[in-house]
Amino acid sequence: MCLAIPARVVSLDADDMATVALEGIRKLVSTALIDDVAVGEYVLVHVGFALHKLSEEEADRTLKLMMEAGVLAEELEEMAAAGSTGDAP
Amino acid sequence: MRYVSEFRDGSLARKLARAIAQASDRTRNYHLMEFCGGHTHAIFRYGVQDLVPENVKYVHGPGCPVCVLPVRRLDDAVELALNHDVILCTYGDMMRVPGTKQKSLIKAKAEGADIRMVYSTQDALRITRDNSHREVVFFAIGFETTTPPTAVAILQAKAEGLKNFTVFCNHVLTPPAIAHIVNAPAEEGEDPVRIDGFLGPSHVSSVIGSKPYEPVARIYRKPVVIAGFEPLDVMQSTLMLIRQINEGRHDVENQYTRVVTRDGNRKAQRLVEQVLELRREFEWRGLGTVPQSALKIRKDFSDFDAEKRFPVSPKTSREVKSCECPAILRGAKRPTECKLFGNICTPDNPMGACMVSSEGACAAYWTYGRKRDAAAAIKEAAV
Ligand code: SF4
């Protein structure tokens, strides 16, 4: 549960929420902890909250590393399994 | 595991390994505590320990939120779920941690308790809205990274006027735990834990910044380097620590400048501050009672405090006998020194929290350490 995953913001929704996309999963996350995030930017997501923004290169590198180290699949599963909201392919 | 070999053969890793070997003074040992379970994981997965000289030793710290929660608080959560007819929402990692008499949340669920795994506080709020006739308790655990989402949920519940939502708050703080570890006298029958410097947590620090470590470093004269989670980050931070130790410095340095600043995430800090305040003291598994090391819900928000709404009965809680988690969390023992490791206690049948959570040291040893030990044995037999 300590891990945080980089994801791309695809839309800004009401009530400090945003939809992020990663690996074909779409997820509604809270943006209550960060200021002025924009569509197309990358954020680090931890327990359903965007913790901070990060550059595309950093996001890309982290994702690749997580994938190759095998932790990405676990995290995605956790994300998708537990009480998921707004998952769509 | 392509990346593991890519990393180990990579020129940057090799260069760093060489620089560490050159910088380290062969006549002494360097005991570096990685506070965070995420770093323990990276060190094991990528075999970082094998890439640094033998006199550089990683000591695994207590930075695994599931691991440091004392049994009594878990027993309280089990009681809440079983005896108070609430819907208990919990992060998945907590489910299999054995409480007193090995009773876990998963067992309580099998006995009929309504326990739901959530990924986020937002899921807990949704469950609350969908079940307005039931009491919903969110079992909040975690370090500074996981705390702001709890604070936000309480503010949302208040704004929405949700009457059936409370939080069982167990959020703990990193800097007081670091201070406690360097300051604590050795337990009876244990050698004092030697630590020359700390690899500081990265995501926690992205929230609180690097500033809160400054007094700890100054007072206890131990360098702290905030380190990213990637294996190269860990190696670079190791080099930075060794240099500080050699020069007799004890500063807070930030290797993870990509994300961490000195001040951290002010917005998140303000939200936490608004809703939560320091506890006078809190019990940690392994560390015992640590002053000002955890947060509780402020009076203004006591309507959302599960400890106020559902008084739990006092109880005598016990760890599984011979589980060495407490000593491991203090950095005093290694998982392989536990009698139960790998035979009775495995990830499929965990006897202690350090084997349940993937951030726990026992789980890391189990997953990656055994291969290493086997390789070392072969190497030894060959000479
Ligand atoms: S191996 Fe199991 S029983 Fe032993 S210390 Fe680790 S978690 Fe506890």
Side-chain angles (χ1 to χ4, degrees), chain B residues 217-267:
Chain B
R218 197 174 53 237
I219 295 169
Y220 301 104
R221 311 178 69 80
K222 304 283 179 201
V224 177
V225 173
I226 316 277
F229 274 136
E230 296 176 20
L232 288 174
D233 294 330
V234 172
M235 291 191 71
Q236 198 190 348
S237 306
T238 301
L239 181 60
M240 290 165 78
L241 275 175
I242 290 176
R243 289 197 170 134
Q244 281 210 48
I245 294 166
N246 288 348
E247 292 162 21
R249 285 190 295 126
H250 36 83
D251 299 326
V252 175
E253 289 180 329
N254 181 8
Q255 180 273 336
Y256 197 45
T257 47
R258 305 198 293 277
V259 168
V260 175
T261 59
R262 183 159 181 265
D263 289 327
N265 182 337
R266 284 265 172 81
K267 190 175 183 189

Side-chain angles (χ1 to χ4, degrees), chain B residues 237-343:
Chain B
S237 306
T238 301
L239 181 60
M240 290 165 78
L241 275 175
I242 290 176
R243 289 197 170 134
Q244 281 210 48
I245 294 166
N246 288 348
E247 292 162 21
R249 285 190 295 126
H250 36 83
D251 299 326
V252 175
E253 289 180 329
N254 181 8
Q255 180 273 336
Y256 197 45
T257 47
R258 305 198 293 277
V259 168
V260 175
T261 59
R262 183 159 181 265
D263 289 327
N265 182 337
R266 284 265 172 81
K267 190 175 183 189
Q269 290 166 20
R270 269 200 304 275
L271 289 163
V272 170
E273 176 80 2
Q274 199 183 334
V275 180
L276 305 172
E277 62 183 350
L278 270 183
R279 283 182 198 265
R280 204 150 47 89
E281 54 181 35
F282 194 72
E283 189 195 337
W284 293 54
R285 175 180 282 127
L287 306 189
T289 303
V290 183
Q292 308 205 319
S293 64
L295 299 170
K296 63 177 181 191
I297 297 169
R298 282 187 189 279
K299 265 216 190 74
D300 296 354
F301 294 90
S302 59
D303 286 352
F304 302 95
D305 191 344
E307 289 178 77
K308 297 271 157 60
R309 191 171 302 183
F310 309 100
V312 289
S313 51
K315 43 181 83 74
T316 9
S317 295
R318 271 207 198 92
E319 306 272 349
V320 171
K321 224 177 128 214
S322 34
C323 169
E324 296 282 9
C325 269
I328 291 167
L329 290 165
R330 282 194 292 279
K333 284 205 171 140
R334 289 187 180 258
T336 39
E337 291 174 66
C338 170
K339 282 202 292 268
L340 307 181
F341 177 81
N343 44 57

Side-chain angles (χ1 to χ4, degrees), chain A residues 1-5 15-17 27-36 44-55 58 61-66 68-71 74-75 78-85, chain B residues 1-3 6 36 41 45-46 63-66 91-93 117-123 126 141-143 145-146 148-150 152-153 156 203 206-207 229-231 256 258-259 265 267-268 270-271 358-359 368:
Chain A
M1 65 168 278
C2 268
L3 281 177
I5 312 186
D15 302 324
D16 271 348
M17 300 296 279
K27 182 92 190 163
L28 206 55
V29 302
S30 169
T31 54
L33 304 177
I34 52 175
D35 285 315
D36 34 80
L44 204 56
V45 177
H46 171 67
V47 296
F49 280 70
L51 267 190
H52 46 77
K53 295 194 248 182
L54 72 177
S55 70
E58 174 79 5
R61 220 158 50 93
T62 311
L63 270 180
K64 249 194 217 122
L65 189 77
M66 289 178 80
E68 287 172 357
V71 281
E74 278 167 40
E75 275 300 295
E78 201 176 304
M79 223 183 197
S84 44
T85 22
Chain B
M1 299 270 252
R2 189 153 45 91
Y3 186 81
E6 259 175 33
C36 198
H41 210 73
R45 191 186 283 274
Y46 297 98
C64 155
V66 173
Y91 290 130
D93 301 36
M117 254 163 49
V118 294
Y119 164 69
S120 166
T121 55
Q122 300 304 300
D123 300 332
R126 191 172 37 78
I141 65 154
F143 286 93
T145 335
T146 320
T150 301
V152 170
Q156 282 171 294
H203 292 147
S206 80
V207 173
F229 274 136
E230 296 176 20
Y256 197 45
R258 305 198 293 277
V259 168
N265 182 337
K267 190 175 183 189
R270 269 200 304 275
L271 289 163
S358 56
E359 280 110 34
Y368 311 110

Side-chain angles (χ1 to χ4, degrees), chain B residues 74 77-79 81-82 94-115 320 348-351:
Chain B
L74 173 60
V78 169
E79 182 190 327
L82 274 176
M94 274 320 296
M95 288 296 275
R96 295 190 316 128
V97 181
T100 299
K101 298 212 181 103
Q102 292 194 45
K103 183 101 155 213
S104 60
L105 289 173
I106 224 168
K107 283 191 187 152
K109 192 176 162 103
E111 285 172 29
D114 193 346
I115 298 175
V320 171
D348 288 332
N349 185 29
M351 293 289 131

Side-chain angles (χ1 to χ4, degrees), chain B residues 20 77 84 129 163 248 268 278 342:
Chain B
I20 292 171
H84 291 268
R129 292 182 203 108
K163 299 273 181 257
L278 270 183

